[in-house]
Coordinates of all heavy atoms in Angstrom, one line a residue:
G1 N 2.0 66.0 -137.9 CA 2.3 66.0 -139.4 C 2.4 64.5 -139.9 O 2.4 64.4 -141.2
G2 N 2.3 63.5 -139.1 CA 2.4 62.2 -139.5 C 0.9 61.6 -139.8 O -0.1 62.2 -139.5
V3 N 0.9 60.5 -140.5 CA -0.3 59.9 -140.8 C -0.3 58.4 -140.4 O 0.6 57.6 -140.8 CB -0.6 59.9 -142.4 CG1 -1.9 59.2 -142.7 CG2 -0.6 61.4 -142.8
G4 N -1.3 58.0 -139.7 CA -1.4 56.6 -139.3 C -2.8 56.0 -139.7 O -3.8 56.7 -139.5
K5 N -2.8 54.8 -140.2 CA -4.1 54.1 -140.5 C -4.1 52.7 -140.1 O -3.1 52.0 -140.0 CB -4.3 54.3 -142.1 CG -4.4 55.7 -142.6 CD -4.6 55.6 -144.1 CE -4.8 57.0 -144.7 NZ -4.9 56.9 -146.2
L6 N -5.3 52.3 -139.9 CA -5.6 50.9 -139.6 C -6.4 50.3 -140.8 O -7.4 50.9 -141.2 CB -6.3 50.6 -138.3 CG -5.7 51.0 -137.1 CD1 -6.6 50.7 -135.9 CD2 -4.3 50.3 -136.8
K7 N -6.0 49.2 -141.4 CA -6.7 48.5 -142.5 C -7.0 47.1 -142.2 O -6.2 46.4 -141.6 CB -5.9 48.8 -143.8 CG -5.8 50.2 -144.3 CD -5.1 50.2 -145.7 CE -5.1 51.6 -146.2 NZ -4.4 51.7 -147.5
L8 N -8.1 46.6 -142.8 CA -8.4 45.2 -142.7 C -7.7 44.5 -143.9 O -7.8 44.9 -145.0 CB -9.9 45.0 -142.7 CG -10.7 45.5 -141.6 CD1 -12.2 45.3 -141.9 CD2 -10.3 44.9 -140.3
T9 N -7.1 43.3 -143.5 CA -6.4 42.6 -144.6 C -7.4 41.9 -145.6 O -7.2 41.8 -146.8 CB -5.5 41.5 -144.0 OG1 -6.3 40.7 -143.2 CG2 -4.4 42.2 -143.2
T10 N -8.6 41.5 -145.1 CA -9.6 40.8 -145.9 C -11.0 41.4 -145.5 O -11.6 40.8 -144.7 CB -9.6 39.3 -145.8 OG1 -9.6 38.9 -144.4 CG2 -8.3 38.7 -146.5
P11 N -11.3 42.6 -145.9 CA -12.6 43.2 -145.5 C -13.8 42.4 -145.8 O -14.8 42.6 -145.0 CB -12.6 44.5 -146.3 CG -11.2 44.8 -146.8 CD -10.6 43.4 -146.9
D12 N -13.7 41.5 -146.7 CA -14.9 40.7 -147.1 C -15.1 39.5 -146.2 O -16.2 38.8 -146.3 CB -14.9 40.3 -148.6 CG -14.8 41.5 -149.6 OD1 -15.4 42.5 -149.2 OD2 -14.3 41.3 -150.6
D13 N -14.2 39.2 -145.4 CA -14.3 38.1 -144.5 C -13.9 38.6 -143.1 O -12.8 38.4 -142.5 CB -13.2 37.0 -144.9 CG -13.4 35.7 -144.1 OD1 -14.3 35.7 -143.3 OD2 -12.6 34.8 -144.3
M14 N -14.9 39.1 -142.4 CA -14.8 39.8 -141.1 C -14.4 38.9 -140.0 O -13.8 39.2 -139.0 CB -16.0 40.5 -140.7 CG -16.3 41.7 -141.7 SD -15.1 43.0 -141.7 CE -15.6 43.9 -140.2
L15 N -14.8 37.6 -140.2 CA -14.5 36.5 -139.1 C -13.0 36.1 -139.2 O -12.5 35.6 -138.2 CB -15.4 35.3 -139.3 CG -16.9 35.6 -139.0 CD1 -17.7 34.3 -139.3 CD2 -17.1 36.0 -137.6
N16 N -12.3 36.2 -140.3 CA -10.9 35.8 -140.4 C -10.0 36.9 -140.8 O -8.8 36.5 -141.0 CB -10.9 34.6 -141.4 CG -11.7 33.4 -141.0 OD1 -11.5 32.8 -140.0 ND2 -12.7 33.2 -141.8
T17 N -10.4 38.1 -140.9 CA -9.5 39.2 -141.3 C -8.5 39.5 -140.3 O -8.6 39.3 -139.1 CB -10.4 40.4 -141.7 OG1 -9.5 41.4 -142.2 CG2 -11.0 41.0 -140.4
G18 N -7.4 40.0 -140.8 CA -6.4 40.6 -139.8 C -6.4 42.1 -140.0 O -7.2 42.7 -140.7
I19 N -5.6 42.7 -139.1 CA -5.5 44.2 -139.1 C -4.1 44.7 -139.5 O -3.1 44.1 -138.9 CB -5.9 44.8 -137.7 CG1 -7.3 44.4 -137.4 CG2 -5.7 46.3 -137.7 CD1 -7.8 44.8 -136.0
E20 N -4.0 45.5 -140.4 CA -2.7 46.0 -140.9 C -2.5 47.5 -140.3 O -3.4 48.3 -140.5 CB -2.6 46.0 -142.4 CG -1.2 46.2 -142.9 CD -1.2 46.0 -144.4 OE1 -1.6 46.9 -145.2 OE2 -0.9 44.8 -144.9
V21 N -1.4 47.7 -139.7 CA -1.1 49.1 -139.2 C -0.1 49.8 -140.2 O 0.9 49.3 -140.5 CB -0.4 49.0 -137.8 CG1 -0.2 50.4 -137.3 CG2 -1.4 48.2 -136.9
E22 N -0.6 51.0 -140.7 CA 0.3 51.8 -141.5 C 0.6 53.0 -140.7 O -0.2 53.7 -140.1 CB -0.5 52.3 -142.7 CG -0.7 51.1 -143.8 CD -1.3 51.7 -145.1 OE1 -1.5 52.9 -145.2 OE2 -1.5 50.8 -146.0
A23 N 2.0 53.3 -140.6 CA 2.5 54.4 -139.8 C 3.4 55.1 -140.7 O 4.5 54.6 -141.1 CB 3.2 53.9 -138.5
K24 N 3.2 56.5 -140.8 CA 4.1 57.3 -141.6 C 4.3 58.6 -140.9 O 3.6 59.5 -141.0 CB 3.4 57.6 -143.0 CG 4.4 58.4 -144.0 CD 3.7 58.6 -145.3 CE 4.5 59.5 -146.2 NZ 3.9 59.7 -147.4
P25 N 5.5 58.6 -140.1 CA 5.8 59.8 -139.4 C 6.2 61.0 -140.3 O 6.6 60.7 -141.5 CB 7.1 59.4 -138.5 CG 6.9 58.0 -138.4 CD 6.3 57.5 -139.7
S26 N 6.0 62.2 -139.9 CA 6.3 63.3 -140.8 C 7.8 63.2 -141.2 O 8.7 63.0 -140.4 CB 6.0 64.6 -140.0 OG 6.3 65.7 -140.8
G27 N 7.9 63.5 -142.5 CA 9.3 63.5 -143.1 C 9.9 62.1 -143.5 O 11.1 62.0 -143.9
K28 N 9.1 61.1 -143.2 CA 9.6 59.7 -143.5 C 8.6 59.1 -144.6 O 7.4 59.1 -144.3 CB 9.7 58.8 -142.3 CG 10.8 59.2 -141.4 CD 11.1 58.1 -140.3 CE 12.3 58.4 -139.5 NZ 12.5 57.3 -138.6
N29 N 9.1 58.6 -145.7 CA 8.3 58.0 -146.7 C 8.3 56.5 -146.5 O 8.7 55.7 -147.4 CB 8.9 58.3 -148.1 CG 7.9 58.0 -149.2 OD1 6.7 57.9 -149.0 ND2 8.5 57.7 -150.3
V30 N 7.8 56.1 -145.3 CA 7.7 54.7 -145.0 C 6.3 54.4 -144.4 O 5.7 55.3 -143.9 CB 8.7 54.2 -144.0 CG1 10.2 54.3 -144.6 CG2 8.6 55.0 -142.7
K31 N 5.8 53.2 -144.5 CA 4.6 52.8 -144.0 C 4.7 51.6 -143.1 O 3.8 51.4 -142.2 CB 3.6 52.5 -145.1 CG 3.1 53.8 -145.9 CD 2.0 53.4 -146.9 CE 1.5 54.7 -147.6 NZ 0.5 54.4 -148.6

């Protein structure tokens, strides 16, 4: 029931971008 995503911090600069982890377990309104 939870939702997890990976996002690029700067998608337009693939050589220097970071990766952001979003984690939202079921029943928790946090990322």
Side-chain angles (χ1 to χ4, degrees):
V3 178
K5 295 180 180 180
L6 297 180
K7 291 185 177 180
L8 297 176
T9 56
T10 51
D12 297 332
D13 186 4
M14 298 294 281
L15 292 176
N16 298 298
T17 186
I19 298 177
E20 193 173 83
V21 180
E22 289 188 0
K24 185 179 179 182
S26 178
K28 289 192 174 184
N29 191 25
V30 297
K31 290 184 179 181

